[in-house]
Amino acid sequence: MTDPADVPVLDVRRMSKVYGEGDTAVHALREVDLLVRRGEYVAVVGQSGSGKSTLLNILGCLDGPTSGRYLLDGLDVADLDERQQSVLRNRQIGFIFQSFNLIPRTSAFANVELPMVYAGVSRRDRRRRTLAALDVVGLSHRTESRPNQLSGGQQQRVAVARALVTRPALLLADDPTGNLDSASTADVLDLFDNLHATGRTIVLITHDHEVAERADRTVTVTDGRLTEQAGARP
Ligand code: ADP
Ligand code: MG
């Protein structure tokens, strides 16, 4: 028996993604292999159009591969129907986007609470976990603030709290510092460092090498192919 803790969070094998067909087909990913173990912090870098978001969308079960295998926490995603995939997405993955994707005119508290409403968590537990998540990101004093009353860095911290609150196996971030100034970028990166130190598994896409340097490992996407940096930890 394999110890559940040894099951990789992500196990991607020869995965390809083609958009469209015939003359206009775009080969966005070409036979990509990627293994991410529990507690790892992995940065995915590459130029615009190289296939980073395509990869992240598939890892997050927002889209399916054209071919190849993808195991999330030991489960073959292809074996699941759409409803099972959406349950898996809700339970196992916390998403963080460049543009925060918070609900406008809604408090930080309500934004963070929402994924637990979908997951059927009791009101009392929702309240406790929402306040704890906002505390982790240093926003206990802004629970009633709406997104437009918060700075970009604070909005992204609310988005991180929302991603954390369902206790996902994996945090997936697509260019989370792309809309932030350098001070807010530093805050959000410190937050990721803390999450990593407490055992979270993080896969972060960025085109900024200074951001990538904070991770354990960097993988580079070039024209849909993935290469691991020399000197990366095994
Ligand atoms: P990145 O995030 O690295 O900028 P993407 O994954 O968004 O790259 O895109 C990789 C390639 O796939 C690009 O050539 C892009 O134009 C193409 N692409 C992305 N999404 C689609 C789509 N939905 N339909 C067709 N082509 C797409
Ligand atoms: Mg992208």
Side-chain angles (χ1 to χ4, degrees):
M1 272 297 282
T2 323
D3 182 339
D6 291 338
V7 174
V9 175
L10 295 180
D11 187 351
V12 170
R13 298 185 206 167
R14 295 174 71 94
M15 188 169 78
S16 297
K17 177 69 178 183
V18 184
Y19 293 111
E21 47 193 56
D23 290 349
T24 57
V26 177
H27 292 260
L29 293 176
R30 300 167 188 266
E31 305 209 326
V32 166
D33 290 309
L34 179 65
L35 195 75
V36 177
R37 299 203 174 277
R38 214 163 297 278
E40 275 195 301
Y41 182 2
V42 180
V44 178
V45 300
Q47 293 186 343
S48 175
S50 58
K52 303 183 298 297
S53 294
T54 299
L55 177 64
L56 195 103
N57 289 341
I58 297 174
L59 298 182
C61 306
L62 297 168
D63 197 3
T66 306
S67 62
R69 261 185 109 195
Y70 170 33
L71 308 186
L72 172 59
D73 217 21
L75 274 180
D76 191 331
V77 174
D79 291 342
L80 307 177
D81 64 27
E82 250 177 58
R83 199 194 56 85
Q84 291 169 318
Q85 282 191 23
S86 97
V87 170
L88 184 71
R89 191 161 58 229
N90 214 309
R91 294 224 180 114
Q92 300 286 40
I93 300 167
F95 290 99
I96 298 151
F97 300 97
Q98 181 180 347
S99 52
F100 322 135
N101 291 14
L102 298 176
I103 300 172
R105 293 182 292 278
T106 304
S107 70
F109 184 95
N111 267 282
V112 173
E113 184 186 30
L114 193 61
M116 293 185 292
V117 176
Y118 295 139
V121 177
S122 75
R123 193 185 187 88
R124 188 191 151 106
D125 282 351
R126 290 203 308 260
R127 178 171 175 77
R128 185 177 51 77
R129 285 166 59 176
T130 300
L131 293 175
L134 283 165
D135 188 44
V136 167
V137 302
L139 288 175
S140 293
H141 59 303
R142 301 304 298 269
T143 57
E144 292 314 311
S145 301
R146 296 187 295 275
N148 66 357
Q149 298 171 316
L150 298 170
S151 70
Q154 289 171 328
Q155 289 182 61
Q156 192 60 297
R157 281 149 60 196
V158 173
V160 172
R162 179 183 58 185
L164 281 175
V165 81
T166 50
R167 303 177 182 136
L170 174 67
L171 286 176
L172 282 181
D174 193 348
D175 199 8
T177 62
N179 273 338
L180 301 180
D181 61 23
S182 56
S184 299
T185 293
D187 284 349
V188 167
L189 291 179
D190 285 347
L191 180 54
F192 281 130
D193 284 349
N194 291 339
L195 295 172
H196 175 46
T198 56
R200 296 288 178 167
T201 310
I202 304 171
V203 177
L204 173 154
I205 288 184
T206 183
H207 50 255
D208 182 341
H209 283 273
E210 281 181 37
V211 172
E213 274 167 20
R214 303 283 282 258
D216 293 335
R217 277 168 65 193
T218 303
V219 296
T220 304
V221 189
T222 312
D223 257 345
R225 293 185 205 281
L226 213 144
T227 47
E228 187 101 30
Q229 244 64 353
R233 293 195 338 193

